[in-house]
């Protein structure tokens, strides 16, 4: 993963692993990559593109984000086995004790805590004020709200099957959650903990990115090979940007 200057409204990226950039100084930054198979986090020096550390995080680390002040990082961990949908889960039972939200000290580069919140947590997003995390619970068809001060659950909102991507509108703090099975995006009011709208995108939506002014949301739809454009004020699907044949869009970011 690398950063560059682009004169585009949005950038589409395909991720092989979760990645997060933490900037310490304008010219210096580190990239934290969650490695789902090996259960660890890799730290890359962004100025030299060299690996400077790798440390254990727990089972299947997935989504990873930094608190707004950069003092802590959070990573979702899952004890559910890696398997294709429809396989017999009894042959590979889940270790629910491994599910949780890992807390990382970026200075010491180690896992300092793990909170047992949600079930089979996938991706997460953090509120603008850094007080709450919103986590997609893949096997529970729900989104959890977690207090990042105490590590306690503050509620759960039901969505549809296989929730994955989570995004927070930077202007009004509404939370969007993508649900892969039925091709839906749920708009949630986190204060009232209720669904505001369900937007049908199709195409197995994976991730969400908002424009800085919060007016549009861009959703990468893997199986459809397109990006769904959503009006974030009306919660309506505006268009689908078709990508080149063979594209499998997963991650999304805005410039």
């Amino acid at each position: 993963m690398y950063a560059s200057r682009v004169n585009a409204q949005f950038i589409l990226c395909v991720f092989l692993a979760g990645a997060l950039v933490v900037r310490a100084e304008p010219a210096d930054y580190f990239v934290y990559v969650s490695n789902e198979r090996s259960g660890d986090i890799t730290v890359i020096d962004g100025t030299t593109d060299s690996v400077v550390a790798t440390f254990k995080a727990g089972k299947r680390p997935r989504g990873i984000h930094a608190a707004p002040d950069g003092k802590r990082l959070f990573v979702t961990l899952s004890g559910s086995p890696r398997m294709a949908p429809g396989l017999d889960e009894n042959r590979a039972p889940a270790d629910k004790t491994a599910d949780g939200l890992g807390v990382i000290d970026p200075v010491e580069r180690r896992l300092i805590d793990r909170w047992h919140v949600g079930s089979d947590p996938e991706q997460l997003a953090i509120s603008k004020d850094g007080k709450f995390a919103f986590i997609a619970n893949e096997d529970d068809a729900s989104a959890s709200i977690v207090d990042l001060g105490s590590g306690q659950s503050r509620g759960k909102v039901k969505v549809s099957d296989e929730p994955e991507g989570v995004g927070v509108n930077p202007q009004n703090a509404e939370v969007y959650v993508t649900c892969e099975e039925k091709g839906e995006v749920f708009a949630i009011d986190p204060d009232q903990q209720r669904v505001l709208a369900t937007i049908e995108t199709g195409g197995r939506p994976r991730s969400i990115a908002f424009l800085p002014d919060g007016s549009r949301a861009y959703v990468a739809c893997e199986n459809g090979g397109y990006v769904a454009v959503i009006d974030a004020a009306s919660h309506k699907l505006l268009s689908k940007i078709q990508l080149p044949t063979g594209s499998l869009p997963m991650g999304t970011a805005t410039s």
Side-chain angles (χ1 to χ4, degrees):
M1 177 180 179
Y2 61 90
S4 63
R5 293 181 178 273
V6 281
N7 294 318
Q9 192 174 29
F10 59 90
I11 307 167
L12 303 177
C13 307
V14 176
F15 294 102
L16 298 181
L20 168 72
V21 176
V22 177
R23 296 187 179 276
E25 297 292 341
D28 302 317
Y29 62 92
F30 295 95
V31 180
Y32 287 74
V33 182
S34 60
N35 303 307
E36 189 170 348
R37 292 198 181 203
S38 54
D40 51 27
I41 307 293
T42 296
V43 185
I44 300 171
D45 186 326
T47 60
T48 63
D49 291 341
S50 59
V51 173
V52 295
T54 298
F55 57 90
K56 285 294 181 182
K59 291 185 177 180
R60 296 187 68 191
R62 294 151 131 182
I64 183 167
H65 282 283
D69 62 8
K71 293 182 179 180
R72 291 183 300 171
L73 283 74
F74 300 94
V75 60
T76 51
L77 305 168
S78 173
S80 295
R82 288 175 55 89
M83 61 173 61
L87 294 184
D88 183 6
E89 294 186 5
N90 294 324
R91 296 176 59 186
D95 176 10
K96 304 311 294 181
T97 64
D99 287 357
L101 184 64
V103 186
I104 295 170
D105 183 325
V107 176
E108 296 186 6
R109 294 173 181 165
R110 67 181 182 90
L111 191 76
I112 58 174
D113 206 347
R114 187 181 67 191
W115 301 330
H116 293 285
V117 293
S119 178
D120 191 18
E122 179 66 75
Q123 299 294 324
L124 79 151
I126 296 176
S127 61
K128 190 175 181 179
D129 60 11
K131 293 182 178 180
F132 299 98
F134 309 102
I135 304 172
N137 300 309
E138 189 170 22
D139 69 359
D140 189 43
S142 69
S144 292
I145 302 172
V146 179
D147 186 322
L148 294 180
S150 65
Q152 298 298 309
S153 173
R154 289 292 178 260
K156 186 167 68 172
V157 180
K158 292 298 291 183
V159 290
S160 62
D161 294 340
E162 291 191 53
E164 176 158 329
V166 187
V168 178
N169 188 312
Q171 292 301 312
N172 61 19
E174 291 177 355
V175 178
Y176 275 30
V177 178
T178 66
C179 294
E180 299 173 323
E181 180 69 21
K182 296 181 180 178
E184 298 171 324
V185 175
F186 284 74
I188 295 171
D189 182 325
D191 294 327
Q192 297 185 23
Q193 299 187 15
R194 67 183 183 91
V195 173
L196 298 171
T198 303
I199 306 126
E200 294 185 6
T201 63
R204 196 168 187 242
R206 299 294 299 270
S207 63
I208 305 156
F210 286 91
L211 289 184
D213 66 4
S215 63
R216 296 283 186 273
Y218 295 92
V219 179
C221 298
E222 180 188 11
N223 287 357
Y226 55 78
V227 177
V229 184
I230 296 173
D231 183 320
S234 64
H235 306 303
K236 300 294 185 183
L237 179 67
L238 295 177
S239 63
K240 296 177 180 178
I241 303 171
Q242 194 66 48
L243 302 180
T245 300
S247 297
L248 297 172
M250 298 183 191
T252 319
T254 56
S255 65

